[in-house]
Amino acid sequence: MPETSIVITATDHFSAAIGKMRDFSKGFSKDLDGMQKKLNELNKTKSTLKVNTDKARQELRAAEKQFSETRDVIDELILQGKQLTFEEARRNLSLVAKEASNVEKQMLKTGKAFSKTDNTATGGMSGAQSLLNGFASSGIANMANGLIQNAANTWISSAFGSEIGSVFSSTLSSVASGAAIGSMIAPGIGTAIGAAAGGLLGAASGGLAIQEQRDDAFKSYVQDAYEGQMSAQETSLTSGSALAAQRETDRISFETLFRRGGVEDMGIVETYLSNLVEMANSTPFLYGDLTAMSKTLATYGYSAQADQAKTLSGEKDYNYILDVLETIGDAGAALGQTTGDMEAMATAIGRMKSSNKATLEYLNILNDRGIGAVGMLAEARGVDQGTMYDMISKGQVSGQEAAEIILQAMTDSFSGSMLAQSRTFSGLTSTVEGLSQELDNAMGQGYNEGRMKGLTAQRDWLSGESGEAVMEANKAIGAWKAELENSKEQYIRDAVDAMMKTEEYRTAQDTGDAAEMGRLIMEAKVQGMNEYNASEGAQLALESEKSLVEAIRSDTSLDSDYWDAGYEKGQWFTKGLAAAMGEGKYFVKADIDQETGLTVYTDSYGFAADSMLVDPGGAGGLRKPGYAYGLDYVPYDNFPALLHQGERVQTAAEARGERVAPSVTITGNNFTIREEADVTRVASELLAQMELAGMRG
């Protein structure tokens, strides 16, 4: 490549004035630079806090809506938490905005002082010109418009969102800073160049801030997803363990109840409980509801087994618990009863059957819940209700007969209601809840079975020789700690007794100086504590604690796995998008062009690839994205690309080598700068000549 030889000698008529101005403004500019840096950070923080406040406001509104619909206690607690979060975010935003306003005011004050100094130091210039130069050099011209800048930032954020608002705010702020720096070097053209450079840096800084926010959002999402899954699993395990334990207790209860009813084969219990699970999963009722009513019916003598003849004929056996449960459940579903109502009905029917008495006390329990029990009995006997009331009062209706008549009438009136309700939203919600409980129960059952082994071993250890040895050790440790406490109290008592015998204390006592007496007693207590701390027993306890710490430190240092698991786990959550890129985790989005039939690829990091058809190799899959016109920079490791014939792939070192700027020496020429416009003309011509030389090379 040929060398271009041009020498420039620039005669600058403005250097002297610039030098004077720089000397006088040095002290002020340092303060302004520091305040401007602080203001930039506050504005960036304010933008982030505004996003957080808006998000907290939205979550608060959603929580308010949820609570207004459900009035649930848990939703109320969630609402209170969202209110606290929003208030904290709003308060933080207000504090940062107030601090930013204070910094702007301070910069204005400093700018005024700067202007006064500049007017004094540049006596050769007119007063107006000196004021303008100082104002521009300090960047106060932009800071004086801080209110306008904030208004513009607010409008941009409102119109285009927080991301665009952050870039705009950073750019506008950096333009002002760049203009101030440029003004110190060369007012006019320097101000413009500084403003342009500051704008570019501000835009880059704003983009980086957005990327940081997006990366933080990514890391927060990963951590929230992880913690959400772990928390859900922990909740499921806790709930499932309790469910499995309760079902184990239920099994023992039913074994007792069925054995009392004459059942000898305890395998029936497992079958019955399995039937309850099936019923819970196909009706609006939960397993716990059905077991509670089952226990009530079993207590009053209902059977765990159905009559086979009735079962084969398709009839219900009203002595069989599950058939009675189904009948009561259908009635409860049809009438919208609560589980408590249905348990009361089961109790009333059970009492009639077990006592063989149909009393108004029992019948009214059914009547009050929408079951016309007296009318059902009257219809079955072919009499009116008045006659039936008379028959009931005279004890002419047996309880067992009445129970069966009522159950048969309920079947005729309400059969199929549970199935119909199970298909409603509420019914499906209950069914899904029941099925979810079964999943939790499975986890809890596995956990409980596994823990039984450990608990058994722990029980044997605690009740065996080791447990006895630890018990003796604990007894000795307790006695030793009691001795230390006794010793400490004795030291304090002795110190207080000694103080009250002193002349100083007696004088305060004689004069009634309660304040002085109190001070002396407290001083004595501290002295007693000091003497205890210096005693042999206290020092022995201290040495014991120090030895324990040293032993823990020594042993823990042997292997990092002993102690840094929490630290390592915390570090996982500090990795963001860059880590995901480094692991080669990406996706390629394919959009079909309807006109050409080509597939346009865009990868997960926003890099667009060329259009291409489906892989013609016969595999039927889509090819990796290609770059027919090259790619200036590979954005991350393991970047997927389809290479074209005739292309050349370079290493990073080769690519950097080709980017080295050519050496240009300019000699043999003199230029006189008469006005600011000459600088632009000379620079443009030099650039044109350098580009021409590069093309020829």
Side-chain angles (χ1 to χ4, degrees):
M1 180 180 293
E3 294 185 354
T4 303
S5 298
I6 307 174
V7 169
I8 300 177
T9 302
T11 304
D12 186 355
H13 298 292
F14 304 102
S15 298
I18 293 173
K20 290 180 180 179
M21 182 172 63
R22 184 183 300 122
D23 292 339
F24 283 113
S25 65
K26 185 179 298 182
F28 289 102
S29 65
K30 289 182 179 179
D31 292 339
L32 285 171
D33 288 344
M35 285 187 284
Q36 182 61 55
K37 182 177 180 181
K38 182 178 180 180
L39 182 60
N40 291 343
E41 292 296 327
L42 288 170
N43 285 334
K44 184 164 68 174
T45 303
K46 185 168 68 174
S47 176
T48 302
L49 289 175
K50 189 176 186 305
V51 173
N52 295 339
T53 303
D54 291 341
K55 180 180 178 182
R57 182 183 291 106
Q58 294 174 358
E59 293 178 350
L60 175 59
R61 289 174 178 171
E64 289 174 342
K65 181 179 179 181
Q66 177 69 17
F67 177 65
S68 66
E69 293 176 352
T70 64
R71 313 304 294 182
D72 185 72
V73 176
I74 295 179
D75 289 335
E76 183 179 12
L77 293 176
I78 294 174
L79 173 60
Q80 293 173 357
K82 296 299 182 184
Q83 288 173 335
L84 291 175
T85 301
F86 171 70
E87 287 299 324
E88 183 179 357
R90 186 183 60 79
R91 185 168 57 254
N92 290 340
L93 177 61
S94 175
L95 291 174
V96 171
K98 183 177 180 181
E99 180 63 17
S101 177
N102 292 336
V103 172
E104 288 180 350
K105 292 178 182 178
Q106 185 62 36
M107 293 182 73
L108 286 172
K109 292 180 181 179
T110 305
K112 292 178 181 178
F114 177 84
S115 298
K116 293 178 181 179
T117 304
D118 186 63
N119 286 334
T120 304
T122 54
M125 308 176 87
S126 68
Q129 183 67 32
S130 175
L131 178 61
L132 290 174
N133 286 346
F135 203 56
S137 300
S138 65
I140 301 303
N142 291 313
M143 294 305 101
N145 293 321
L147 181 61
I148 299 175
Q149 177 180 334
N150 287 338
N153 293 342
T154 302
W155 186 86
I156 290 292
S157 296
S158 177
F160 302 102
S162 61
E163 286 192 353
I164 301 299
S166 295
V167 173
F168 178 79
S169 176
S170 179
T171 302
L172 192 60
S173 178
S174 296
V175 164
S177 299
I181 296 173
S183 298
M184 294 181 182
I185 300 175
I189 186 172
T191 302
I193 293 174
L200 292 174
L201 292 174
S205 176
L208 180 60
I210 291 174
Q211 183 59 35
E212 289 177 354
Q213 293 174 11
R214 293 177 66 86
D215 197 56
D216 288 341
F218 175 83
K219 290 185 284 189
S220 177
Y221 177 86
V222 171
Q223 185 168 355
D224 289 346
Y226 166 82
E227 292 177 349
Q229 290 300 316
M230 296 302 293
S231 177
Q233 186 182 70
E234 182 66 26
T235 300
S236 179
L237 179 60
T238 302
S239 174
S241 178
L243 280 172
Q246 181 59 48
R247 293 192 181 184
E248 188 175 20
T249 303
D250 289 339
R251 181 174 55 80
I252 295 173
S253 297
F254 280 107
E255 285 179 356
T256 303
L257 290 171
F258 291 166
R259 187 179 291 111
R260 187 186 300 167
V263 176
E264 296 181 358
D265 183 8
M266 289 298 101
I268 293 177
V269 174
E270 297 295 337
T271 303
Y272 180 80
L273 293 178
S274 298
N275 290 334
L276 280 187
V277 171
E278 184 177 350
M279 178 180 286
N281 292 339
S282 58
T283 67
F285 305 111
L286 298 177
Y287 176 86
D289 301 333
L290 298 177
T291 54
M293 286 189 285
S294 293
K295 290 177 183 178
T296 298
L297 293 172
T299 300
Y300 290 114
Y302 281 89
S303 173
Q305 294 175 288
D307 183 274
Q308 294 299 316
K310 290 185 177 182
T311 301
L312 292 174
S313 65
E315 298 179 36
K316 281 192 175 182
D317 179 3
Y318 294 117
N319 192 47
Y320 176 42
I321 295 178
L322 287 180
D323 282 349
V324 176
L325 273 181
E326 184 177 357
T327 300
I328 294 175
D330 280 335
L335 299 174
Q337 294 178 349
T338 65
T339 302
D341 289 331
M342 287 182 281
E343 286 186 5
M345 289 169 55
T347 300
I349 294 173
R351 286 177 179 174
M352 281 191 289
K353 180 181 182 300
S354 63
S355 67
N356 199 24
K357 293 180 180 180
T359 66
L360 286 177
E361 177 187 357
Y362 302 149
L363 294 172
N364 284 337
I365 293 175
L366 302 175
N367 291 334
D368 293 342
R369 287 162 177 79
I371 305 297
V374 176
M376 292 175 177
L377 294 175
E379 184 177 354
R381 286 292 187 92
V383 298
D384 58 47
Q385 291 195 30
T387 302
M388 179 51 61
Y389 272 112
D390 186 55
M391 293 173 63
I392 292 171
S393 63
K394 293 178 180 180
Q396 295 175 354
V397 181
S398 72
Q400 294 180 359
E401 178 188 6
E404 188 159 346
I405 290 173
I406 292 170
L407 288 171
Q408 182 63 58
M410 290 168 62
T411 300
D412 296 339
S413 300
F414 307 117
S415 180
S417 297
M418 278 197 299
L419 179 61
Q421 194 188 65
S422 68
R423 294 170 179 167
T424 65
F425 179 82
S426 298
L428 285 173
T429 300
S430 177
T431 299
V432 169
E433 182 181 354
L435 292 171
S436 298
Q437 285 185 355
E438 291 306 309
L439 297 181
D440 291 348
N441 176 68
M443 182 183 293
Q445 188 175 2
Y447 174 81
N448 289 357
E449 290 176 357
R451 278 293 291 147
M452 286 288 286
K453 299 176 182 177
L455 291 173
T456 301
Q458 183 73 357
R459 179 200 61 192
D460 294 342
W461 186 83
L462 291 172
S463 61
E465 294 182 0
S466 297
E468 292 180 1
V470 173
M471 191 181 300
E472 289 295 325
N474 284 343
K475 186 175 181 180
I477 293 170
W480 176 58
K481 286 186 174 294
E483 184 179 350
L484 290 178
E485 288 293 325
N486 294 340
S487 176
K488 178 171 63 175
E489 292 170 355
Q490 183 64 52
Y491 274 106
I492 293 174
R493 288 197 301 269
D494 291 345
V496 171
D497 288 342
M499 174 60 71
M500 288 190 294
K501 294 178 181 179
T502 62
E503 187 66 29
E504 186 178 10
Y505 181 84
R506 289 177 177 174
T507 300
Q509 186 179 30
D510 293 340
T511 58
D513 191 345
E516 180 64 10
M517 292 165 62
R519 184 192 70 80
L520 292 173
I521 290 177
M522 287 187 288
E523 179 183 330
K525 289 181 177 180
V526 172
Q527 291 175 353
M529 180 64 71
N530 290 339
E531 292 176 4
Y532 164 75
N533 288 333
S535 68
E536 182 179 355
Q539 288 297 310
L540 179 62
L542 178 62
E543 289 299 322
S544 176
E545 293 172 1
K546 288 167 58 179
S547 297
L548 175 61
V549 173
E550 291 174 357
I552 293 173
R553 183 168 56 238
S554 177
D555 185 67
T556 304
S557 66
L558 296 177
D559 191 337
S560 61
D561 290 340
Y562 290 168
W563 58 271
D564 70 345
Y567 173 79
E568 289 293 331
K569 182 177 176 181
Q571 288 300 303
W572 295 342
F573 294 127
T574 64
K575 295 180 180 180
L577 282 169
M581 292 179 182
E583 294 168 0
K585 300 216 175 142
Y586 60 87
F587 63 85
V588 177
K589 179 182 178 184
D591 296 318
I592 305 297
D593 190 319
Q594 298 299 325
E595 295 182 1
T596 64
L598 298 177
T599 302
V600 180
Y601 292 91
T602 304
D603 73 5
S604 56
Y605 307 116
F607 292 91
D610 299 329
S611 297
M612 60 186 67
L613 292 170
V614 174
D615 189 349
L622 297 175
R623 297 190 292 181
K624 297 294 185 186
Y627 296 86
Y629 301 100
L631 181 65
D632 288 338
Y633 183 74
V634 176
Y636 53 86
D637 290 342
N638 301 319
F639 182 76
L642 183 69
L643 301 177
H644 299 72
Q645 184 177 5
E647 294 178 344
R648 177 166 62 92
V649 179
Q650 292 181 297
T651 65
E654 291 172 341
R656 286 193 296 269
E658 291 193 359
R659 290 178 181 271
V660 177
S663 175
V664 179
T665 304
I666 303 175
T667 60
N669 297 278
N670 294 318
F671 297 93
T672 300
I673 305 299
R674 296 179 300 277
E675 56 182 355
E676 293 181 0
D678 289 345
V679 176
T680 303
R681 298 189 187 100
V682 172
S684 298
E685 183 61 25
L686 285 174
L687 179 60
Q689 293 297 324
M690 292 168 63
E691 289 179 344
L692 181 61
M695 290 173 61
R696 290 177 178 175

